Amino acid sequence: MNNEWPIWEIFIRSKNGLEHRHCGSLHAADAEMAIQNARDVYTRRQEGVSIWVVESKEITASNPSKNGEMFEPAADKVYRHPTFYDLPDEIKHM
Amino acid sequence: MLQEKLYEYLLHLGDNSMILGQRLGELCGHGPELETDIALTNISLDLFGQVRNYFQAAAQIKGGDATEDTIAMLRYEHEYKNVYLVEQPNDDFAHVIVRQFFFDVYHQLLLNELIKSKNETLVAIAKKSIKEVDYHVDFSSTWVKRLGDGTEVSHEKMQTAVNTLWRYSMELFNATEVEQWAAESGVGPDLDALKPFYISRVEEVLHEATLTLPEETVFQYGAKTGRHSENMGYILVDFQYMQRAYPNMKW
Amino acid sequence: MENKTLSLDEQFQKRIDNGENIEAKDWMPEKYRKTHIRQISQHAHSEVVGMLPEGNWISRAPSLRRKVALLAKVQDEAGHGLYLYSAAETLGITRDQLMEQLNSGRAKYSSIFNYPTVSWADMGAVGWLVDGAAIINQVMLTKTSYGPYARAMVRICKEESFHQRQGYEIMLSLCNGTEAQKAMAQDALNRWWWPSMMMFGPRDEDSPNTEQSMKWKIKKKTNDELRQQFVDQTVPQAEILGLTIPDKDLKWNDERGHYDFGILDWEEFWNVVKGNGLMNEKRLKDRNAAWDEGAWVREAAYTYASKQAEKRAKKTA
């Protein structure tokens, strides 16, 4: 019988005002335990003020073999960046 | 005189945390999962942190060459004031969790009163410690439920641990002379008044965990006044080893 | 297009050569996957078994300050084991399988933990020498090619930095102490020096995997180079302590700009690797006991979680 505790992905907000960031994984039987374990494993040096946990199997990831079609087309769309536009020097902040 | 009583009272407070912390320390590396090892070690570290606060305060009262370490490690067995409960061995994970839970609920009630103490040092220590202990209660309560209401095997092991350890619970509320002094002088709580809250909180969690308190219990009292169980000598053999074998040295 | 002429293996190697990290879901040669599962899990096992020799002294630490520091250190090792198992798990193996490999004795872990910790000074020597040797390896691995491994190492290195200092400080207190304490420190150094030197593995000529490991950036320097680095950095530290490194051939070589040192006892090395160290059997026995005695706990927590999930599902239905 496979009763191994599932893997959870842990996201920590290091301080208020910042986003949660992925910091690692751990095993836990349920979400409550995952939060407690994350607190003990990943915030024991004051690394966080908020924790999100999500079971790893719930995450859908993009397919790395499609990285070309997924991400490369954005490379030449320079007009999305402010530096694409020429403004006279007199205008300092825009 | 007053200071002497306060010193003794600090020992009551520190010794429970210290011996429980020592028991948890024995487990480090031997738990059922890495995650639980890390969690129980955190609790042990919280407890030893509290011990150091209490005993630094005690060392100041005692003066002379007294330090947190001489107070922690250089007393005779009968001078330790911890309860029977915390000296019980790590028989299995069920005993570890139930022992923790029985102590945590008491500890939380105690600290919630100590933050109102007339003694400022105690207020400061209690304020810091209460946050740690609130978490301990959460942790041990969820584990009591998880294992009580888990499998048949776990239920049985937990019920056995409850039956074994409950007899040591009421000693927590059986005030010694010093604890009575503390209550009367507003330094510490009236332990007897906390007892009904304790029992109802314990019962509440046990009920959710599908566990029950034993119907008839002959409670054990005595460790607080220095009459310890056979366990205590062996705990001290380890705990005092270095200080006894190599006296008067700095580490 | 140039890519069409390259095999998958060659394209893969090119990515590593370009300094790209390989991530869990990327295509990778089977050998890369297997080597990484083996290496990362060995590393994880070493952290977990490594908890035992130091855990052996938690109950007997000589002061409260030393006790909390040691507890925190051993706890960190559990954390490091956990980070590394998680990294290994991204390659398609489970924690249970990894534990089974360790407990059955099929998996290797660092031989250093098969030596006994017999005095308090060993907590100093282990922190100073064993962690010192480990850090040299670990810093190198923060730049390794496999992303999850490299990230685990970054986190581990950040946390490790207190371990070696803690060990050195213990040694320093002993060396500034009484004769008995100094003798304890020297004895610990005598016992841990050579085993620490062995942590870098066999001589380069006996290390057939080095070339492949370098290509995948599991290694940047050879075993002998790393060993030399360890000697060079440790000798002055021993001098500050006033301790003597137990190697009569140890002396500064001006020409090489390095310390020369004596020959390691390779027979002992292979003996301990093969399981004949003083503590091999006991370490595995302890790990097996912890795992077996914890089985009902893991199962109960799993069952409880399933029951709770069912209850929630019924409520929402």
Side-chain angles (χ1 to χ4, degrees), chain A residues 1-7 23-27 29-30 32-33 40-42 44-45 47 61-62 64 67, chain C residues 25-26 75-76 79 82-83 86 89 94-97 155 159 162-163 297-299 301-305:
Chain A
M1 180 174 127
N2 179 20
N3 53 17
E4 189 168 353
W5 296 352
I7 308 180
C23 68
S25 332
L26 48 73
H27 286 255
D30 51 42
E32 190 178 16
M33 197 201 285
D40 288 327
V41 172
Y42 288 109
R44 64 188 190 281
R45 286 185 170 81
E47 291 97 333
S62 63
N67 274 7
Chain C
K25 290 186 159 59
D26 293 352
Q75 181 192 42
D76 272 353
L82 190 157
Y83 307 154
S86 300
E89 285 172 85
T94 67
R95 170 95 63 94
D96 280 7
Q97 287 171 323
R155 183 170 274 277
E159 298 185 351
F162 102 80
H163 295 181
V297 177
R298 296 190 300 275
E299 188 174 341
Y302 182 87
T303 306
Y304 176 81

Side-chain angles (χ1 to χ4, degrees), chain B residues 4-250:
Chain B
E4 237 167 70
K5 296 263 194 207
L6 183 60
Y7 173 79
E8 298 279 314
Y9 190 58
L10 285 164
L11 298 185
H12 270 292
L13 296 171
D15 284 348
N16 280 333
S17 292
M18 183 167 76
I19 300 303
L20 185 54
Q22 176 77 356
R23 278 297 193 209
L24 293 173
E26 293 169 13
L27 272 178
C28 189
H30 303 275
E33 258 302 358
L34 289 171
E35 285 84 349
T36 48
D37 264 6
I38 294 170
L40 290 173
T41 308
N42 257 2
I43 295 178
S44 178
L45 282 167
D46 287 343
L47 292 171
F48 276 115
Q50 296 163 13
V51 173
R52 296 185 70 190
N53 289 330
Y54 288 129
F55 288 176
Q56 281 163 13
Q60 272 193 350
I61 294 174
K62 195 153 195 209
D65 294 335
T67 66
E68 58 177 38
D69 291 323
T70 63
I71 290 171
M73 296 177 174
L74 291 176
R75 279 180 280 151
Y76 293 118
E77 178 174 327
H78 68 269
E79 295 171 312
Y80 286 88
K81 298 179 184 302
N82 58 280
V83 292
Y84 283 128
L85 178 67
V86 294
E87 49 187 73
Q88 297 310 304
N90 302 325
D91 279 338
D92 65 8
F93 199 71
H95 283 75
V96 171
I97 291 297
V98 173
R99 181 184 66 201
Q100 193 64 41
F101 172 65
F102 284 171
F103 183 73
D104 290 343
V105 176
Y106 159 80
H107 203 185
Q108 189 179 43
L109 289 166
L110 171 75
L111 291 172
N112 270 319
E113 294 300 315
L114 277 184
I115 55 177
K116 296 178 259 173
S117 167
K118 283 189 179 157
N119 181 287
E120 281 175 27
T121 310
L122 286 181
V123 173
I125 298 175
K127 276 189 175 164
K128 186 179 164 291
S129 308
I130 188 71
K131 289 178 193 156
E132 297 168 345
V133 172
D134 284 346
Y135 183 78
H136 301 174
V137 173
D138 278 351
F139 178 85
S140 59
S141 307
T142 51
W143 271 100
V144 166
K145 291 178 212 164
R146 199 172 269 140
L147 297 178
D149 191 18
T151 60
E152 264 177 53
V153 174
S154 73
H155 177 84
E156 198 179 310
K157 284 180 189 286
M158 287 297 280
Q159 189 61 58
T160 304
V162 167
N163 295 347
T164 306
L165 295 171
W166 182 244
R167 69 181 61 133
Y168 306 115
S169 61
M170 287 303 116
E171 188 190 8
L172 291 162
F173 301 94
N174 187 39
T176 60
E177 244 174 75
V178 176
E179 285 171 320
Q180 274 170 16
W181 162 82
E184 284 157 15
S185 54
V187 169
D190 173 5
L191 292 175
D192 211 40
L194 299 179
K195 203 194 300 186
F197 295 101
Y198 179 80
I199 294 174
S200 81
R201 282 187 199 178
V202 166
E203 278 182 332
E204 195 184 317
V205 173
L206 290 187
H207 178 74
E208 267 194 75
T210 70
L211 298 166
T212 50
L213 287 175
E215 274 178 24
E216 275 179 40
T217 305
V218 178
F219 290 102
Q220 297 291 335
Y221 305 95
K224 267 183 176 183
T225 57
R227 275 190 289 122
H228 290 280
S229 66
E230 288 184 357
N231 298 306
M232 191 63 182
Y234 294 100
I235 293 174
L236 294 180
V237 163
D238 277 354
F239 191 68
Q240 300 188 338
Y241 167 60
M242 290 298 292
Q243 291 278 348
R244 295 291 186 198
Y246 300 89
N248 302 317
M249 297 184 199
K250 287 206 171 74

